[in-house]
Amino acid sequence: MAQITLIEAVTQALAYEMAHDESVVVLGEDVGVNGGVFRATQGLQEKFGELRVLDTPLDETTIAGVTVGMAAQGMKPVAEAQFEGFIYPMMEQIACHAARLRNRTRGRITVPAVWRAPWGGGIRAPEHHSEANEHLFTNIPGLRVVLPSSPARAYGLLLAAIRDPDPVMFFEPKRIYRQYKEEVPDDGEALPLDVCFVLRDGTDVTLVTWGAQVKETLEAADALAAEGISAEVIDVATLTPLDFDTIAESVAKTGRCVIVHEAPKTAGFGAEIAARLAEECMYDLLAPVERVTGFDTHIPLFRLEMKYLPSTERVVEAAKRTLAAS
């Protein structure tokens, strides 16, 4: 079995589902002839034809509206926003229609659509090409928000997202698109949505993260282990609906929690997790919850970009603060 990158896992999942379900279509800017700006859809138009892999105008609002209409009429569209920073014009259609049609029609109409977007910084690009704004969607009822962190999870979660009867925002951490490879069977086996993945067991501190930051968080766990500190690492994967039980169970064991994410700190999704820990797990906590995040600014240009993103060192320091506090 060949090893593949995260971006190749996305392509593989799209190809599998299109081959097994004729209602699945792909649409977006440059997704056909060019295979997408990151080549996530490379080869799909040649294999499935122009009627199922649609090159659209440079018009995010229209892409989103057409996606809602197609899904409401029984198709399963997978729309691409070239970068997550381009998704703002899509939000009216997503928030006002895609997320509401099931409720608005009392279940008569559903929207089985996926919006894919390359997410986050770390590729030396301008700010609209480097945004981490997943928290803007976690507060919209009716949406699932999914952020894979590895090739295997990208493959399995994208299959699950396409098969889901409701709209899914699928944000792909482009910094790790081609960072490493792993074996991913092309067997059509989906991974469960709405579930956190415990990537490493630990007893002293819980590290909670998602997306590209899983890499730095696992590195931090290794660094802490070298100093005799046992860190449990949780990949949230599906932000909403949140599998809070897995996080709470871990914190009940460790008594400490560090939340790591790339988005700005204020009102980032880490704040929601921290608030729920305060509300529901106060007596399990031995120290205040720490957050290691991006800053409350636009992501800077590449000269300062890596200083903006959460680093292994910042995660280690935060974990040590929770231990010192208790």
Side-chain angles (χ1 to χ4, degrees):
M1 183 190 307
Q3 293 191 333
I4 60 174
T5 61
L6 193 152
I7 192 69
E8 291 169 330
V10 169
T11 311
Q12 184 169 284
L14 290 170
Y16 183 94
E17 208 61 11
M18 293 184 77
H20 291 82
D21 186 344
E22 292 185 355
S23 66
V24 177
V25 297
V26 171
L27 68 155
E29 298 163 3
D30 297 324
V31 299
V33 174
N34 288 340
V37 67
F38 290 99
R39 303 299 182 259
T41 55
Q42 191 166 35
L44 295 183
Q45 191 176 76
E46 291 90 334
K47 186 173 184 179
F48 297 104
E50 295 180 2
L51 294 181
R52 295 188 63 197
V53 182
L54 310 172
D55 277 320
T56 67
L58 303 182
D59 183 352
E60 284 80 9
T61 302
T62 296
I63 295 169
V66 168
T67 299
V68 173
M70 295 171 77
Q73 296 304 311
M75 302 189 76
K76 296 179 181 177
V78 182
E80 179 183 297
Q82 278 196 336
F83 293 89
E84 190 168 347
F86 297 176
I87 211 165
Y88 300 112
M90 295 183 168
M91 290 186 69
E92 195 273 337
Q93 294 289 341
I94 294 170
C96 294
H97 301 293
R100 296 170 185 262
L101 270 175
R102 175 185 286 277
N103 180 68
R104 183 181 293 157
T105 65
R106 297 300 183 261
R108 186 174 63 86
I109 297 176
T110 60
V111 182
V114 177
W115 279 267
R116 295 179 41 252
W119 167 96
I123 65 164
R124 301 168 68 90
E127 79 278 3
H128 267 309
H129 301 71
S130 304
E131 298 200 14
N133 56 20
E134 67 276 11
H135 53 292
L136 300 181
F137 295 91
T138 58
N139 198 38
I140 300 175
L143 291 182
R144 275 186 168 82
V145 179
V146 179
L147 256 159
S149 63
S150 73
R153 284 188 286 281
Y155 178 80
L157 291 171
L158 183 53
L159 289 176
I162 296 171
R163 296 168 188 174
D164 194 84
D166 293 299
V168 178
M169 309 305 300
F170 195 86
F171 297 135
E172 301 161 7
K174 56 184 175 289
R175 178 161 61 91
I176 59 171
Y177 262 162
R178 295 177 172 85
Q179 195 168 77
Y180 66 96
K181 296 183 177 183
E182 63 183 8
E183 291 185 354
V184 182
D186 191 13
D187 55 7
E189 185 171 341
L191 289 173
L193 298 171
D194 313 341
V195 170
C196 291
F197 297 94
V198 179
L199 305 184
R200 180 178 181 135
D201 291 325
T203 56
D204 294 326
V205 60
T206 299
L207 308 180
V208 177
T209 189
W210 52 89
Q213 275 59 54
V214 167
K215 176 181 179 292
E216 283 76 20
T217 304
L218 286 170
E219 290 174 354
D222 287 339
L224 290 165
E227 300 184 38
I229 300 168
S230 174
E232 185 147 298
V233 178
I234 295 176
D235 176 7
V236 175
T238 302
L239 277 65
T240 50
L242 174 65
D243 173 19
F244 185 72
D245 289 347
T246 294
I247 298 172
E249 181 180 338
S250 177
V251 171
K253 176 174 59 174
T254 66
R256 305 168 186 88
C257 185
V258 177
I259 303 165
V260 185
H261 65 73
E262 186 173 322
K265 185 173 188 178
T266 299
F269 193 68
E272 171 64 20
I273 297 174
R276 289 194 63 180
L277 286 171
E279 291 172 350
E280 302 176 36
C281 305
M282 176 64 76
Y283 296 110
D284 293 323
L285 289 168
L286 300 174
V289 174
E290 289 272 349
R291 286 182 287 160
V292 180
T293 70
F295 298 95
D296 289 343
T297 67
H298 298 295
I299 188 167
L301 295 175
F302 63 85
R303 188 172 181 179
L304 297 174
E305 183 177 29
M306 300 312 294
K307 295 184 181 298
Y308 176 95
L309 301 177
S311 65
T312 300
E313 292 74 21
R314 287 173 62 195
V315 178
V316 169
E317 290 168 4
K320 289 181 177 179
R321 286 196 296 271
T322 67
L323 290 156
S326 57

mmCIF file of all heavy atoms in Angstrom, residues 14-57:
data_model
loop_
_atom_site.group_PDB
_atom_site.id
_atom_site.type_symbol
_atom_site.label_atom_id
_atom_site.label_comp_id
_atom_site.label_asym_id
_atom_site.label_seq_id
_atom_site.Cartn_x
_atom_site.Cartn_y
_atom_site.Cartn_z
ATOM 1 N N LEU A 14 -12.442 12.040 -2.583
ATOM 2 C CA LEU A 14 -13.372 12.585 -3.577
ATOM 3 C C LEU A 14 -13.582 11.592 -4.713
ATOM 4 O O LEU A 14 -14.717 11.345 -5.146
ATOM 5 C CB LEU A 14 -12.837 13.904 -4.118
ATOM 6 C CG LEU A 14 -12.846 15.104 -3.173
ATOM 7 C CD1 LEU A 14 -12.068 16.264 -3.781
ATOM 8 C CD2 LEU A 14 -14.280 15.542 -2.862
ATOM 9 N N ALA A 15 -12.501 11.009 -5.201
ATOM 10 C CA ALA A 15 -12.598 10.070 -6.315
ATOM 11 C C ALA A 15 -13.389 8.831 -5.918
ATOM 12 O O ALA A 15 -14.223 8.330 -6.702
ATOM 13 C CB ALA A 15 -11.197 9.675 -6.787
ATOM 14 N N TYR A 16 -13.163 8.333 -4.711
ATOM 15 C CA TYR A 16 -13.895 7.146 -4.261
ATOM 16 C C TYR A 16 -15.395 7.423 -4.213
ATOM 17 O O TYR A 16 -16.206 6.637 -4.720
ATOM 18 C CB TYR A 16 -13.411 6.697 -2.880
ATOM 19 C CG TYR A 16 -14.091 5.425 -2.412
ATOM 20 C CD1 TYR A 16 -13.501 4.186 -2.643
ATOM 21 C CD2 TYR A 16 -15.339 5.459 -1.789
ATOM 22 C CE1 TYR A 16 -14.129 3.009 -2.249
ATOM 23 C CE2 TYR A 16 -15.977 4.296 -1.399
ATOM 24 C CZ TYR A 16 -15.368 3.071 -1.628
ATOM 25 O OH TYR A 16 -16.012 1.908 -1.253
ATOM 26 N N GLU A 17 -15.755 8.536 -3.614
ATOM 27 C CA GLU A 17 -17.181 8.816 -3.432
ATOM 28 C C GLU A 17 -17.855 9.126 -4.765
ATOM 29 O O GLU A 17 -19.007 8.739 -4.993
ATOM 30 C CB GLU A 17 -17.354 9.961 -2.437
ATOM 31 C CG GLU A 17 -18.653 9.929 -1.666
ATOM 32 C CD GLU A 17 -18.829 8.678 -0.811
ATOM 33 O OE1 GLU A 17 -17.864 7.891 -0.623
ATOM 34 O OE2 GLU A 17 -19.959 8.474 -0.341
ATOM 35 N N MET A 18 -17.151 9.807 -5.670
ATOM 36 C CA MET A 18 -17.722 10.082 -6.976
ATOM 37 C C MET A 18 -17.916 8.801 -7.783
ATOM 38 O O MET A 18 -18.878 8.668 -8.543
ATOM 39 C CB MET A 18 -16.831 11.057 -7.745
ATOM 40 C CG MET A 18 -16.789 12.446 -7.133
ATOM 41 S SD MET A 18 -15.822 13.617 -8.102
ATOM 42 C CE MET A 18 -16.978 13.982 -9.422
ATOM 43 N N ALA A 19 -17.016 7.853 -7.609
ATOM 44 C CA ALA A 19 -17.125 6.583 -8.323
ATOM 45 C C ALA A 19 -18.270 5.728 -7.804
ATOM 46 O O ALA A 19 -18.814 4.893 -8.542
ATOM 47 C CB ALA A 19 -15.812 5.811 -8.215
ATOM 48 N N HIS A 20 -18.630 5.919 -6.539
ATOM 49 C CA HIS A 20 -19.653 5.073 -5.927
ATOM 50 C C HIS A 20 -20.993 5.762 -5.721
ATOM 51 O O HIS A 20 -21.950 5.128 -5.267
ATOM 52 C CB HIS A 20 -19.135 4.542 -4.588
ATOM 53 C CG HIS A 20 -18.017 3.546 -4.725
ATOM 54 N ND1 HIS A 20 -16.703 3.929 -4.918
ATOM 55 C CD2 HIS A 20 -18.018 2.185 -4.726
ATOM 56 C CE1 HIS A 20 -15.938 2.861 -5.006
ATOM 57 N NE2 HIS A 20 -16.707 1.789 -4.905
ATOM 58 N N ASP A 21 -21.082 7.048 -6.028
ATOM 59 C CA ASP A 21 -22.342 7.777 -5.845
ATOM 60 C C ASP A 21 -22.438 8.848 -6.927
ATOM 61 O O ASP A 21 -21.728 9.856 -6.889
ATOM 62 C CB ASP A 21 -22.381 8.412 -4.450
ATOM 63 C CG ASP A 21 -23.718 9.059 -4.126
ATOM 64 O OD1 ASP A 21 -24.511 9.293 -5.061
ATOM 65 O OD2 ASP A 21 -23.965 9.350 -2.939
ATOM 66 N N GLU A 22 -23.320 8.628 -7.901
ATOM 67 C CA GLU A 22 -23.410 9.544 -9.035
ATOM 68 C C GLU A 22 -23.996 10.897 -8.670
ATOM 69 O O GLU A 22 -23.931 11.835 -9.469
ATOM 70 C CB GLU A 22 -24.249 8.896 -10.150
ATOM 71 C CG GLU A 22 -23.576 7.703 -10.801
ATOM 72 C CD GLU A 22 -24.367 7.169 -11.978
ATOM 73 O OE1 GLU A 22 -25.493 7.672 -12.215
ATOM 74 O OE2 GLU A 22 -23.860 6.262 -12.667
ATOM 75 N N SER A 23 -24.563 11.030 -7.472
ATOM 76 C CA SER A 23 -25.109 12.322 -7.061
ATOM 77 C C SER A 23 -24.034 13.270 -6.544
ATOM 78 O O SER A 23 -24.302 14.456 -6.317
ATOM 79 C CB SER A 23 -26.184 12.133 -5.984
ATOM 80 O OG SER A 23 -25.622 11.622 -4.783
ATOM 81 N N VAL A 24 -22.798 12.778 -6.354
ATOM 82 C CA VAL A 24 -21.708 13.622 -5.855
ATOM 83 C C VAL A 24 -21.104 14.402 -7.019
ATOM 84 O O VAL A 24 -20.713 13.825 -8.042
ATOM 85 C CB VAL A 24 -20.619 12.771 -5.167
ATOM 86 C CG1 VAL A 24 -19.453 13.660 -4.713
ATOM 87 C CG2 VAL A 24 -21.201 12.017 -3.976
ATOM 88 N N VAL A 25 -21.029 15.716 -6.870
ATOM 89 C CA VAL A 25 -20.402 16.583 -7.864
ATOM 90 C C VAL A 25 -19.431 17.511 -7.142
ATOM 91 O O VAL A 25 -19.581 17.798 -5.954
ATOM 92 C CB VAL A 25 -21.433 17.421 -8.660
ATOM 93 C CG1 VAL A 25 -22.346 16.519 -9.464
ATOM 94 C CG2 VAL A 25 -22.253 18.311 -7.724
ATOM 95 N N VAL A 26 -18.432 17.976 -7.860
ATOM 96 C CA VAL A 26 -17.424 18.895 -7.323
ATOM 97 C C VAL A 26 -17.507 20.190 -8.116
ATOM 98 O O VAL A 26 -17.617 20.172 -9.344
ATOM 99 C CB VAL A 26 -16.013 18.280 -7.446
ATOM 100 C CG1 VAL A 26 -14.935 19.308 -7.109
ATOM 101 C CG2 VAL A 26 -15.877 17.063 -6.536
ATOM 102 N N LEU A 27 -17.471 21.325 -7.411
ATOM 103 C CA LEU A 27 -17.510 22.605 -8.098
ATOM 104 C C LEU A 27 -16.655 23.633 -7.377
ATOM 105 O O LEU A 27 -16.441 23.545 -6.166
ATOM 106 C CB LEU A 27 -18.945 23.118 -8.241
ATOM 107 C CG LEU A 27 -19.707 23.557 -6.980
ATOM 108 C CD1 LEU A 27 -20.792 24.560 -7.336
ATOM 109 C CD2 LEU A 27 -20.326 22.355 -6.273
ATOM 110 N N GLY A 28 -16.155 24.604 -8.147
ATOM 111 C CA GLY A 28 -15.344 25.661 -7.580
ATOM 112 C C GLY A 28 -14.450 26.279 -8.637
ATOM 113 O O GLY A 28 -14.443 25.863 -9.803
ATOM 114 N N GLU A 29 -13.677 27.261 -8.214
ATOM 115 C CA GLU A 29 -12.790 27.977 -9.126
ATOM 116 C C GLU A 29 -11.558 27.135 -9.434
ATOM 117 O O GLU A 29 -10.821 26.732 -8.521
ATOM 118 C CB GLU A 29 -12.380 29.304 -8.481
ATOM 119 C CG GLU A 29 -13.566 30.223 -8.216
ATOM 120 C CD GLU A 29 -13.255 31.341 -7.237
ATOM 121 O OE1 GLU A 29 -12.088 31.450 -6.785
ATOM 122 O OE2 GLU A 29 -14.191 32.106 -6.915
ATOM 123 N N ASP A 30 -11.357 26.820 -10.713
ATOM 124 C CA ASP A 30 -10.175 26.089 -11.186
ATOM 125 C C ASP A 30 -10.103 24.646 -10.704
ATOM 126 O O ASP A 30 -9.029 24.031 -10.760
ATOM 127 C CB ASP A 30 -8.882 26.811 -10.771
ATOM 128 C CG ASP A 30 -8.760 28.189 -11.403
ATOM 129 O OD1 ASP A 30 -9.192 28.336 -12.555
ATOM 130 O OD2 ASP A 30 -8.227 29.106 -10.749
ATOM 131 N N VAL A 31 -11.235 24.064 -10.258
ATOM 132 C CA VAL A 31 -11.173 22.694 -9.755
ATOM 133 C C VAL A 31 -11.112 21.668 -10.887
ATOM 134 O O VAL A 31 -10.736 20.515 -10.667
ATOM 135 C CB VAL A 31 -12.383 22.365 -8.841
ATOM 136 C CG1 VAL A 31 -12.402 23.279 -7.635
ATOM 137 C CG2 VAL A 31 -13.702 22.431 -9.609
ATOM 138 N N GLY A 32 -11.470 22.077 -12.106
ATOM 139 C CA GLY A 32 -11.559 21.128 -13.205
ATOM 140 C C GLY A 32 -10.287 21.002 -13.998
ATOM 141 O O GLY A 32 -9.449 20.125 -13.747
ATOM 142 N N VAL A 33 -10.100 21.894 -14.950
ATOM 143 C CA VAL A 33 -8.952 21.815 -15.858
ATOM 144 C C VAL A 33 -7.635 21.873 -15.084
ATOM 145 O O VAL A 33 -6.703 21.091 -15.339
ATOM 146 C CB VAL A 33 -9.013 22.946 -16.903
ATOM 147 C CG1 VAL A 33 -7.744 22.944 -17.758
ATOM 148 C CG2 VAL A 33 -10.243 22.778 -17.792
ATOM 149 N N ASN A 34 -7.548 22.772 -14.121
ATOM 150 C CA ASN A 34 -6.294 22.938 -13.373
ATOM 151 C C ASN A 34 -6.166 21.997 -12.180
ATOM 152 O O ASN A 34 -5.085 21.884 -11.595
ATOM 153 C CB ASN A 34 -6.168 24.382 -12.869
ATOM 154 C CG ASN A 34 -5.872 25.348 -13.993
ATOM 155 O OD1 ASN A 34 -5.416 24.958 -15.055
ATOM 156 N ND2 ASN A 34 -6.146 26.626 -13.777
ATOM 157 N N GLY A 35 -7.268 21.373 -11.782
ATOM 158 C CA GLY A 35 -7.201 20.463 -10.641
ATOM 159 C C GLY A 35 -7.108 21.156 -9.303
ATOM 160 O O GLY A 35 -6.676 20.555 -8.312
ATOM 161 N N GLY A 36 -7.523 22.419 -9.236
ATOM 162 C CA GLY A 36 -7.491 23.150 -7.972
ATOM 163 C C GLY A 36 -6.161 23.839 -7.737
ATOM 164 O O GLY A 36 -5.117 23.390 -8.234
ATOM 165 N N VAL A 37 -6.184 24.916 -6.960
ATOM 166 C CA VAL A 37 -4.968 25.683 -6.731
ATOM 167 C C VAL A 37 -3.905 24.846 -6.006
ATOM 168 O O VAL A 37 -2.708 25.037 -6.200
ATOM 169 C CB VAL A 37 -5.292 26.986 -5.965
ATOM 170 C CG1 VAL A 37 -5.760 26.712 -4.549
ATOM 171 C CG2 VAL A 37 -4.094 27.922 -5.951
ATOM 172 N N PHE A 38 -4.341 23.900 -5.155
ATOM 173 C CA PHE A 38 -3.401 23.000 -4.476
ATOM 174 C C PHE A 38 -3.410 21.595 -5.086
ATOM 175 O O PHE A 38 -2.822 20.680 -4.532
ATOM 176 C CB PHE A 38 -3.725 22.923 -2.982
ATOM 177 C CG PHE A 38 -3.418 24.192 -2.246
ATOM 178 C CD1 PHE A 38 -4.425 25.104 -1.946
ATOM 179 C CD2 PHE A 38 -2.126 24.500 -1.855
ATOM 180 C CE1 PHE A 38 -4.150 26.284 -1.276
ATOM 181 C CE2 PHE A 38 -1.833 25.670 -1.181
ATOM 182 C CZ PHE A 38 -2.844 26.574 -0.898
ATOM 183 N N ARG A 39 -4.130 21.426 -6.201
ATOM 184 C CA ARG A 39 -4.237 20.158 -6.931
ATOM 185 C C ARG A 39 -5.023 19.099 -6.151
ATOM 186 O O ARG A 39 -4.814 17.898 -6.339
ATOM 187 C CB ARG A 39 -2.857 19.619 -7.315
ATOM 188 C CG ARG A 39 -2.024 20.598 -8.148
ATOM 189 C CD ARG A 39 -2.705 20.944 -9.471
ATOM 190 N NE ARG A 39 -1.909 21.837 -10.304
ATOM 191 C CZ ARG A 39 -2.133 23.157 -10.417
ATOM 192 N NH1 ARG A 39 -3.122 23.733 -9.744
ATOM 193 N NH2 ARG A 39 -1.365 23.900 -11.193
ATOM 194 N N ALA A 40 -5.965 19.538 -5.320
ATOM 195 C CA ALA A 40 -6.791 18.588 -4.577
ATOM 196 C C ALA A 40 -7.752 17.835 -5.480
ATOM 197 O O ALA A 40 -8.185 16.726 -5.142
ATOM 198 C CB ALA A 40 -7.575 19.306 -3.480
ATOM 199 N N THR A 41 -8.108 18.434 -6.616
ATOM 200 C CA THR A 41 -9.069 17.796 -7.525
ATOM 201 C C THR A 41 -8.411 17.367 -8.831
ATOM 202 O O THR A 41 -9.088 17.151 -9.837
ATOM 203 C CB THR A 41 -10.240 18.750 -7.809
ATOM 204 O OG1 THR A 41 -9.727 20.005 -8.299
ATOM 205 C CG2 THR A 41 -11.055 19.010 -6.558
ATOM 206 N N GLN A 42 -7.103 17.232 -8.806
ATOM 207 C CA GLN A 42 -6.364 16.887 -10.016
ATOM 208 C C GLN A 42 -6.811 15.529 -10.567
ATOM 209 O O GLN A 42 -6.893 14.532 -9.845
ATOM 210 C CB GLN A 42 -4.868 16.859 -9.733
ATOM 211 C CG GLN A 42 -4.004 16.766 -10.972
ATOM 212 C CD GLN A 42 -2.547 17.083 -10.647
ATOM 213 O OE1 GLN A 42 -2.050 16.754 -9.577
ATOM 214 N NE2 GLN A 42 -1.863 17.738 -11.553
ATOM 215 N N GLY A 43 -7.126 15.507 -11.852
ATOM 216 C CA GLY A 43 -7.508 14.268 -12.510
ATOM 217 C C GLY A 43 -8.974 13.912 -12.425
ATOM 218 O O GLY A 43 -9.441 12.998 -13.122
ATOM 219 N N LEU A 44 -9.733 14.622 -11.597
ATOM 220 C CA LEU A 44 -11.138 14.248 -11.415
ATOM 221 C C LEU A 44 -11.989 14.597 -12.629
ATOM 222 O O LEU A 44 -12.886 13.836 -13.001
ATOM 223 C CB LEU A 44 -11.710 14.924 -10.160
ATOM 224 C CG LEU A 44 -11.094 14.497 -8.823
ATOM 225 C CD1 LEU A 44 -11.820 15.194 -7.673
ATOM 226 C CD2 LEU A 44 -11.156 12.982 -8.648
ATOM 227 N N GLN A 45 -11.718 15.747 -13.264
ATOM 228 C CA GLN A 45 -12.527 16.101 -14.424
ATOM 229 C C GLN A 45 -12.281 15.142 -15.583
ATOM 230 O O GLN A 45 -13.219 14.748 -16.296
ATOM 231 C CB GLN A 45 -12.257 17.546 -14.862
ATOM 232 C CG GLN A 45 -13.270 18.047 -15.902
ATOM 233 C CD GLN A 45 -13.066 19.499 -16.250
ATOM 234 O OE1 GLN A 45 -12.141 19.830 -16.982
ATOM 235 N NE2 GLN A 45 -13.929 20.371 -15.723
ATOM 236 N N GLU A 46 -11.030 14.735 -15.777
ATOM 237 C CA GLU A 46 -10.736 13.771 -16.823
ATOM 238 C C GLU A 46 -11.448 12.448 -16.583
ATOM 239 O O GLU A 46 -11.907 11.782 -17.513
ATOM 240 C CB GLU A 46 -9.225 13.525 -16.910
ATOM 241 C CG GLU A 46 -8.430 14.710 -17.426
ATOM 242 C CD GLU A 46 -7.976 15.641 -16.311
ATOM 243 O OE1 GLU A 46 -8.651 15.674 -15.241
ATOM 244 O OE2 GLU A 46 -6.957 16.318 -16.487
ATOM 245 N N LYS A 47 -11.572 12.073 -15.310
ATOM 246 C CA LYS A 47 -12.170 10.774 -14.977
ATOM 247 C C LYS A 47 -13.696 10.814 -14.977
ATOM 248 O O LYS A 47 -14.348 9.872 -15.447
ATOM 249 C CB LYS A 47 -11.659 10.313 -13.613
ATOM 250 C CG LYS A 47 -12.107 8.914 -13.222
ATOM 251 C CD LYS A 47 -11.423 8.458 -11.952
ATOM 252 C CE LYS A 47 -11.805 7.016 -11.607
ATOM 253 N NZ LYS A 47 -11.115 6.548 -10.377
ATOM 254 N N PHE A 48 -14.271 11.913 -14.477
ATOM 255 C CA PHE A 48 -15.719 11.944 -14.271
ATOM 256 C C PHE A 48 -16.451 12.926 -15.194
ATOM 257 O O PHE A 48 -17.679 12.953 -15.204
ATOM 258 C CB PHE A 48 -16.029 12.277 -12.807
ATOM 259 C CG PHE A 48 -15.512 11.246 -11.839
ATOM 260 C CD1 PHE A 48 -14.361 11.494 -11.089
ATOM 261 C CD2 PHE A 48 -16.147 10.031 -11.701
ATOM 262 C CE1 PHE A 48 -13.880 10.545 -10.204
ATOM 263 C CE2 PHE A 48 -15.671 9.067 -10.811
ATOM 264 C CZ PHE A 48 -14.534 9.331 -10.070
ATOM 265 N N GLY A 49 -15.720 13.732 -15.929
ATOM 266 C CA GLY A 49 -16.342 14.600 -16.923
ATOM 267 C C GLY A 49 -16.686 15.987 -16.410
ATOM 268 O O GLY A 49 -16.731 16.251 -15.198
ATOM 269 N N GLU A 50 -16.963 16.887 -17.346
ATOM 270 C CA GLU A 50 -17.214 18.294 -17.023
ATOM 271 C C GLU A 50 -18.548 18.524 -16.329
ATOM 272 O O GLU A 50 -18.747 19.568 -15.705
ATOM 273 C CB GLU A 50 -17.151 19.132 -18.301
ATOM 274 C CG GLU A 50 -15.780 19.158 -18.953
ATOM 275 C CD GLU A 50 -15.754 20.005 -20.209
ATOM 276 O OE1 GLU A 50 -16.811 20.595 -20.539
ATOM 277 O OE2 GLU A 50 -14.700 20.076 -20.858
ATOM 278 N N LEU A 51 -19.481 17.585 -16.444
ATOM 279 C CA LEU A 51 -20.782 17.760 -15.788
ATOM 280 C C LEU A 51 -20.730 17.432 -14.295
ATOM 281 O O LEU A 51 -21.638 17.803 -13.551
ATOM 282 C CB LEU A 51 -21.834 16.885 -16.470
ATOM 283 C CG LEU A 51 -22.180 17.248 -17.915
ATOM 284 C CD1 LEU A 51 -23.248 16.309 -18.455
ATOM 285 C CD2 LEU A 51 -22.641 18.704 -18.015
ATOM 286 N N ARG A 52 -19.657 16.749 -13.876
ATOM 287 C CA ARG A 52 -19.556 16.405 -12.451
ATOM 288 C C ARG A 52 -18.384 17.100 -11.761
ATOM 289 O O ARG A 52 -18.305 17.080 -10.531
ATOM 290 C CB ARG A 52 -19.433 14.886 -12.279
ATOM 291 C CG ARG A 52 -20.686 14.144 -12.735
ATOM 292 C CD ARG A 52 -20.619 12.679 -12.392
ATOM 293 N NE ARG A 52 -20.571 12.465 -10.960
ATOM 294 C CZ ARG A 52 -20.180 11.325 -10.393
ATOM 295 N NH1 ARG A 52 -19.753 10.319 -11.146
ATOM 296 N NH2 ARG A 52 -20.182 11.198 -9.082
ATOM 297 N N VAL A 53 -17.502 17.698 -12.511
ATOM 298 C CA VAL A 53 -16.415 18.509 -11.945
ATOM 299 C C VAL A 53 -16.475 19.845 -12.669
ATOM 300 O O VAL A 53 -15.991 19.984 -13.789
ATOM 301 C CB VAL A 53 -15.050 17.825 -12.114
ATOM 302 C CG1 VAL A 53 -13.956 18.670 -11.461
ATOM 303 C CG2 VAL A 53 -15.066 16.418 -11.514
ATOM 304 N N LEU A 54 -17.070 20.828 -12.008
ATOM 305 C CA LEU A 54 -17.482 22.066 -12.659
ATOM 306 C C LEU A 54 -16.547 23.213 -12.328
ATOM 307 O O LEU A 54 -16.391 23.593 -11.157
ATOM 308 C CB LEU A 54 -18.903 22.447 -12.214
ATOM 309 C CG LEU A 54 -19.974 21.340 -12.298
ATOM 310 C CD1 LEU A 54 -21.262 21.803 -11.637
ATOM 311 C CD2 LEU A 54 -20.214 20.950 -13.738
ATOM 312 N N ASP A 55 -15.919 23.783 -13.356
ATOM 313 C CA ASP A 55 -15.176 25.033 -13.178
ATOM 314 C C ASP A 55 -16.184 26.179 -13.142
ATOM 315 O O ASP A 55 -16.961 26.368 -14.088
ATOM 316 C CB ASP A 55 -14.202 25.234 -14.336
ATOM 317 C CG ASP A 55 -12.900 24.487 -14.139
ATOM 318 O OD1 ASP A 55 -12.405 24.461 -12.994
ATOM 319 O OD2 ASP A 55 -12.378 23.915 -15.108
ATOM 320 N N THR A 56 -16.168 26.947 -12.081
ATOM 321 C CA THR A 56 -17.129 28.033 -11.897
ATOM 322 C C THR A 56 -16.485 29.386 -12.174
ATOM 323 O O THR A 56 -15.257 29.507 -12.212
ATOM 324 C CB THR A 56 -17.661 28.045 -10.460
ATOM 325 O OG1 THR A 56 -16.580 28.409 -9.576
ATOM 326 C CG2 THR A 56 -18.208 26.686 -10.056
ATOM 327 N N PRO A 57 -17.289 30.425 -12.323
ATOM 328 C CA PRO A 57 -16.726 31.784 -12.353
ATOM 329 C C PRO A 57 -16.067 32.130 -11.016
ATOM 330 O O PRO A 57 -16.279 31.445 -9.997
ATOM 331 C CB PRO A 57 -17.957 32.669 -12.603
ATOM 332 C CG PRO A 57 -18.988 31.758 -13.146
ATOM 333 C CD PRO A 57 -18.739 30.416 -12.529
#
